[in-house]
Amino acid sequence: MVGLWAARFASEQGLSVILIERDHIGAGASGGVLGALMPHQPHPWNLKKQKQFDALVELGSLCAVLESETGLATGYRRAGRLMPIATEEQRERQTHWSGAAAQNWRSDAGVAWRVEQTEAPDGLLSASATRFGYAFDNLSAIVSPRKLLAALRASVEPSVTILEGCEAGQWSSAGEVLKTSSGEIGVKRILVSAGANSTSALHALGLDRTATPHIVGIKGQGALIRPADPVPEDMPMIYGDGLYLVPHADGTIGLGSTTEKSWQHAFETDGKLDELLGKAKTLCPWLEGATVLERWAHLRPKGPTANPLVERVREYAVVASGGYKTGLAFAPTMAREAIAMLV
């Protein structure tokens, strides 16, 4: 996702751009099933949260431009987020966040975080999960990751050379030559945005060094499901008990995600996903009888912290990765910062 946004922004500046993908676009964590765009808790407030807030507000406009240019849907919708409150402690915490949002979120964005004492609307949450009501924020949004990738690709294809199934090798900045599995290419600048594979890509390029931040992969499992009965078109995203339920325009729901720092098989699903499906049915009884259309597992990139990482590794080389669970929203911001370092 970051690489495609960067290719778009760089080509808009008149640069000659080659996008190199080892497999196929969307093969990594960007091509998942979830598509949740959620703000951090609004307290304590800091620069990262301000940047994420601005990114979340802007993404709707960016998606609208993409859809207008390409005629392709991105699946973006400002759906809002419904959060069950099962305990008094949770209610106190949500009430505190509601006040912090009123103080820290930009008033001109028309967004808010509110707490209600009633049961969730439309029976979307179980009574046991909402014993102390529910919270709702209207900043959260959803997008279809695969549709967004397709729209981004279509937007850059007229001006960007895309090489899929191509392995990048040693790069000589002095000779401005990049060796690849498809032959040598003249390259003056390099942006590495290879997700959980960013560290290995830097090594292959000859850019890895001791001071370069190490990117690791955190495994996440999710599923794409279809409820037995259609869900409301205006259904919000649901976040509770450590899981996300993201309703997409085609009537499917993205379910996620596990957080696994160790694993045996990075790209296979197992009982942890089955447990997540069970929790979803407990939280939302109307999911009983839903069909699992796809089980998904991949590695999400994480740097030394959970913050997105955009850093110069050589004079004409930058790495942009490590978005972890916020990379979908932060991708345009990361791409702009990376291009600014290179130009």
Side-chain angles (χ1 to χ4, degrees):
M1 198 71 74
V2 177
L4 278 165
W5 281 115
R8 178 179 171 87
F9 296 149
S11 64
E12 287 176 346
Q13 294 187 34
L15 298 178
S16 174
V17 182
I18 299 174
L19 183 65
I20 298 175
E21 164 60 51
R22 183 177 65 178
D23 197 330
H24 65 272
I25 290 175
S30 291
V33 297
L34 201 58
L37 301 164
M38 304 191 308
H40 290 293
Q41 294 90 350
H43 179 83
W45 197 245
N46 54 38
L47 178 60
K48 173 191 173 182
K49 292 182 180 182
Q50 181 65 58
K51 290 173 67 174
Q52 188 205 34
F53 178 91
D54 294 338
L56 287 169
V57 171
E58 181 194 28
L59 192 57
S61 299
L62 291 174
C63 286
V65 170
L66 279 176
E67 291 178 347
S68 176
E69 287 181 0
T70 66
L72 299 175
T74 62
Y76 179 90
R77 178 167 67 93
R78 181 73 70 77
R81 172 178 50 167
L82 187 63
M83 297 164 280
I85 303 176
T87 67
E88 180 65 39
E89 182 183 8
Q90 288 178 358
R91 183 173 179 80
E92 291 177 358
R93 186 162 57 245
Q94 289 284 358
T95 300
H96 177 61
W97 290 338
S98 175
Q103 179 179 352
N104 296 316
W105 286 1
R106 273 187 6 229
S107 59
D108 65 309
V111 293
W113 189 309
R114 72 176 193 269
V115 177
E116 303 288 350
Q117 297 187 34
T118 62
E119 292 185 0
D122 301 318
L124 289 175
L125 299 170
S126 68
S128 61
T130 55
R131 286 192 295 269
F132 289 81
Y134 67 91
F136 183 83
D137 86 78
N138 64 350
L139 173 58
S140 294
I142 63 177
V143 73
S144 168
R146 294 167 185 175
K147 289 181 179 179
L148 177 54
L149 287 171
L152 276 168
R153 176 177 186 150
S155 78
V156 303
E157 279 183 323
S159 57
V160 172
T161 300
I162 299 176
L163 301 178
E164 292 180 283
C166 180
E167 189 87 29
Q170 190 76 18
W171 175 54
S172 168
S173 57
E176 299 182 348
V177 173
L178 174 67
K179 294 181 179 179
T180 77
S181 57
S182 301
E184 292 188 348
I185 303 172
V187 173
K188 294 183 178 180
R189 301 171 177 88
I190 289 277
L191 167 59
V192 177
S193 180
N197 293 316
S198 293
T199 295
S200 59
L202 288 168
H203 180 73
L205 289 162
L207 297 173
D208 198 19
R209 54 181 182 171
T210 304
T212 301
H214 190 63
I215 305 295
V216 300
I218 306 296
K219 182 179 178 180
Q221 298 186 48
L224 190 66
I225 60 180
R226 185 177 295 280
D229 297 315
V231 299
E233 290 186 0
D234 61 350
M235 176 181 163
M237 179 196 326
I238 294 174
Y239 175 64
D241 199 20
L243 60 85
Y244 312 79
L245 290 165
V246 183
H248 294 294
D250 60 1
T252 62
I253 293 180
L255 167 68
S257 300
T258 64
T259 300
E260 304 169 48
K261 294 182 180 180
S262 61
W263 61 86
Q264 286 188 318
H265 305 288
F267 310 114
E268 297 180 11
T269 61
D270 53 34
K272 291 184 175 64
L273 179 55
D274 297 323
E275 292 175 7
L276 204 63
L277 286 162
K279 287 174 65 175
K281 294 175 182 178
T282 299
L283 181 64
C284 303
W286 49 270
L287 282 174
E288 201 64 51
T291 301
V292 178
L293 303 176
E294 180 182 348
R295 296 167 66 95
W296 182 88
H298 222 288
L299 299 179
R300 295 163 295 182
K302 182 178 180 298
T305 71
N307 296 339
L309 173 71
V310 181
E311 185 169 308
R312 189 186 305 277
V313 291
R314 294 286 167 84
E315 185 178 2
Y316 297 112
V318 168
V319 60
S321 185
Y324 193 35
K325 296 181 180 181
T326 61
L328 192 59
F330 267 124
T333 302
M334 295 169 66
R336 286 196 191 101
E337 290 178 357
I339 296 302
M341 289 182 182
L342 289 174
V343 175

